[in-house]
Amino acid sequence: MAALGWLTPRRRSATARSVLAGEASAEAARKSTQDESAASAPGREPEFPVHGDDRAAAFFDLDNTVMQGAALFHFGRGLYKRKFFDTRELARFAWQQAWFRLAGVEDPEHMQDARDSALSIVKGHRVSELKSIGEEIYDEYMAERIWPGTRALAQAHLDAGQKVWLVTAAPVEIAQVIARRLGLTGALGTVAESIDGVYTGKLVGEPLHGPAKAEAVRALAAAEGLDLSRCAAYSDSHNDIPMLSLVGHPYAINPDAKLRKHARALDWRLRDYRTGRKAAKVGIPAAAGVGAVAGGTAAAIALHRRRR
């Protein structure tokens, strides 16, 4: 208003009112244009993932979210083929997998039983050996069970320049194989104890399940400098509600009944790839292909530091 100092108080007041009126008119015009644009595209979702947001990332549950069935059970089948255990143990794995597929949910008792079986089987084997076998088992049993719709969601985050992590109760070595083969950033998984590169048959801490997943994501976000309110998480199970509740963009993928009910109550987005129905869009076209490969080492280090 210094430039108007020569004006009399009355003229200055009139000029100020004119400036105010002009600004108000311009703001009203801008708002009107925005309102018309919104009205012309009813129900249109804002773009997501946000391109170039390096403080955002995506966290994907594995079993029945990224892949049909449970990774641990498929891994057991591969180990049986390589004579790691007998037919009685195979029948046990087969029953667990059949139950999982019929129920469509993770039962803690069944999952714990499967983990105990796997730990006893790998005891005394070298970590490097299991990693190599994991590559073969992925090709034999897992690759064809990846849900294309979920993979496209993960690729959308990669294309937006964001990191994408698997978060699973499966052994971290297997989770890292799957993440690498899908072109994801890395994986958080259950850590089996090893000494001098040989499995002891024990776990480090507890299985990465339920609340433990949320703690792992929180620890990784802190280590990576992420803003969880800008991150996304995807899961099929009500057991992962703690993880989903951490982020600003929770998605229920192929949800069990409890998660579906919870997601609807909180207006979370739902995607179901188990039927022939056309999948809903995320807000951008589904991408094809896979991104650059990176390891899961940073995730493992972040989780290890958190537990210490």
Side-chain angles (χ1 to χ4, degrees):
M1 298 296 293
L4 302 180
W6 58 273
L7 297 176
T8 65
R10 179 176 295 178
R11 292 184 66 185
R12 240 191 344 257
S13 177
T15 302
R17 288 198 300 272
S18 296
V19 171
L20 180 61
E23 291 176 346
S25 179
E27 177 62 22
R30 190 178 68 84
K31 186 177 185 301
S32 175
T33 302
Q34 291 175 340
D35 291 343
E36 288 178 6
S37 297
S40 65
R44 182 178 180 181
E45 296 180 348
E47 180 181 308
F48 185 78
V50 178
H51 286 249
D53 186 356
D54 60 3
R55 295 199 64 201
F59 303 94
F60 284 80
D61 169 55
L62 176 58
D63 296 346
N64 221 32
T65 300
V66 172
M67 181 177 66
Q68 182 182 2
L72 190 59
F73 300 144
H74 297 314
F75 186 58
R77 294 173 64 194
L79 292 181
Y80 170 77
K81 180 180 177 181
R82 291 159 178 81
K83 303 187 184 303
F84 271 66
F85 54 93
D86 58 25
T87 53
R88 184 178 63 178
E89 289 291 337
L90 176 64
R92 191 178 183 184
F93 270 99
W95 157 246
Q96 290 164 339
Q97 173 66 3
W99 188 94
F100 183 88
R101 293 186 66 179
L102 288 172
V105 296
E106 298 174 7
D107 179 84
E109 184 177 344
H110 280 260
M111 299 301 288
Q112 182 64 53
D113 190 32
R115 279 189 290 271
D116 290 343
S117 298
L119 285 169
S120 66
I121 290 165
V122 302
K123 182 179 180 179
H125 289 273
R126 300 198 66 81
V127 175
S128 58
E129 177 188 10
L130 268 293
K131 286 183 177 180
S132 178
I133 291 174
E135 297 280 354
E136 299 171 3
I137 292 175
Y138 176 84
D139 290 326
E140 293 169 3
Y141 299 111
M142 300 178 183
E144 64 182 10
R145 290 177 170 81
I146 301 298
W147 295 106
T150 312
R151 185 171 183 176
L153 291 174
Q155 186 61 42
H157 285 279
L158 292 171
D159 289 344
Q162 298 175 6
K163 293 182 178 180
V164 178
W165 305 87
L166 290 182
V167 188
T168 174
V172 67
E173 293 84 2
I174 304 307
Q176 289 172 351
V177 167
I178 296 170
R180 183 172 55 78
R181 297 295 288 273
L182 293 178
L184 309 184
T185 306
L188 288 160
T190 297
V191 179
E193 182 184 75
S194 64
I195 297 178
D196 296 329
V198 178
Y199 288 112
T200 66
K202 300 177 182 179
L203 291 182
V204 177
E206 62 182 0
L208 202 65
H209 187 267
K213 282 189 179 181
E215 287 302 311
V217 168
R218 197 191 308 273
L220 181 60
E224 293 276 315
L226 301 174
D227 181 348
L228 285 171
S229 68
R230 288 143 70 173
C231 293
Y234 302 78
S235 179
D236 72 296
S237 174
H238 68 279
N239 293 312
D240 288 337
I241 288 175
M243 178 180 74
L244 293 169
S245 300
L246 275 182
V247 301
H249 302 277
Y251 284 77
I253 305 293
N254 307 327
D256 61 36
K258 289 183 180 179
L259 178 57
R260 184 180 293 274
K261 181 179 180 180
H262 188 87
R264 284 175 171 169
L266 296 182
D267 199 28
W268 290 355
R269 299 181 191 180
L270 288 90
R271 303 287 185 267
D272 200 322
Y273 302 119
R274 294 169 295 189
T275 71
R277 295 194 301 267
K278 183 178 180 181
K281 293 182 179 179
V282 188
I284 62 173
V290 294
V293 173
T297 306
I301 292 174
L303 179 59
H304 179 62
R305 287 175 177 170
R306 175 74 174 182
R307 295 199 184 285
R308 286 196 303 178

